[in-house]
Amino acid sequence: MNRNVHGRHVTIVRAVAFMMRYYELSEKSPRASYNVGRAFHQLDLTHFAIPYYEKALAGAGPALNDEHYELRQSEHVIMRRFAAHNLMLIYKASGQEDRAREILYEYLVI
């Protein structure tokens, strides 16, 4: 990306538009929620990332009649752990230690 501030802003707006289109086309799946949250997190727009990480955590797992249920279930568990970890990091960085600890114990401690 070039150093032109206008060019950076345009590129970011296009990237966000692309991610939101992807999110809509994926029917707002938990995986898409995680990916959009991660994109906002990478852009340091954590206030936008938080709701998407929370949606990823709240999302349902694969259907029981899915022929690849076990594989999809393990992917879902891993994705939820990543979402919880990233959400915990955001809360910790913003000084919300109690909320970070809640996320840790609810989703990451075995």
Side-chain angles (χ1 to χ4, degrees), residues 22-23 26 28-38 49 51-57 79:
Y22 155 74
Y23 183 65
S26 69
K28 301 178 181 179
S29 71
R31 178 182 292 277
S33 297
Y34 170 77
N35 289 335
V36 172
R38 186 69 185 122
Y52 287 99
Y53 282 145
E54 289 173 345
K55 288 176 188 177
L57 291 174
M79 186 266 313

Side-chain angles (χ1 to χ4, degrees), residues 64-81:
L64 289 173
N65 61 353
D66 186 342
E67 66 182 60
H68 302 290
Y69 174 78
E70 289 182 16
L71 175 63
R72 293 189 202 287
Q73 180 64 20
S74 64
E75 288 175 353
H76 180 70
V77 168
I78 291 168
M79 186 266 313
R80 286 186 74 199
R81 287 182 183 155

Side-chain angles (χ1 to χ4, degrees), residues 2-110:
N2 63 21
R3 297 274 181 203
N4 181 337
V5 173
H6 176 72
R8 283 183 173 185
H9 289 261
V10 169
T11 303
I12 290 172
V13 168
R14 285 182 181 159
V16 170
F18 172 79
M19 286 301 296
M20 297 315 295
R21 178 76 175 139
Y22 155 74
Y23 183 65
E24 294 297 323
L25 290 173
S26 69
E27 300 175 355
K28 301 178 181 179
S29 71
R31 178 182 292 277
S33 297
Y34 170 77
N35 289 335
V36 172
R38 186 69 185 122
F40 281 129
H41 195 174
Q42 283 293 114
L43 293 170
D44 204 27
L45 298 171
T46 56
H47 55 288
F48 290 120
I50 290 171
Y52 287 99
Y53 282 145
E54 289 173 345
K55 288 176 188 177
L57 291 174
L64 289 173
N65 61 353
D66 186 342
E67 66 182 60
H68 302 290
Y69 174 78
E70 289 182 16
L71 175 63
R72 293 189 202 287
Q73 180 64 20
S74 64
E75 288 175 353
H76 180 70
V77 168
I78 291 168
M79 186 266 313
R80 286 186 74 199
R81 287 182 183 155
F82 283 145
H85 178 261
N86 291 343
L87 191 56
M88 184 191 71
L89 292 176
I90 290 171
Y91 285 134
K92 191 172 182 180
S94 68
Q96 298 181 48
E97 297 285 335
D98 292 338
R99 185 66 182 126
R101 197 172 300 109
E102 287 174 20
I103 297 292
L104 173 70
Y105 289 124
E106 186 172 347
Y107 296 102
L108 298 172
V109 173
I110 298 174

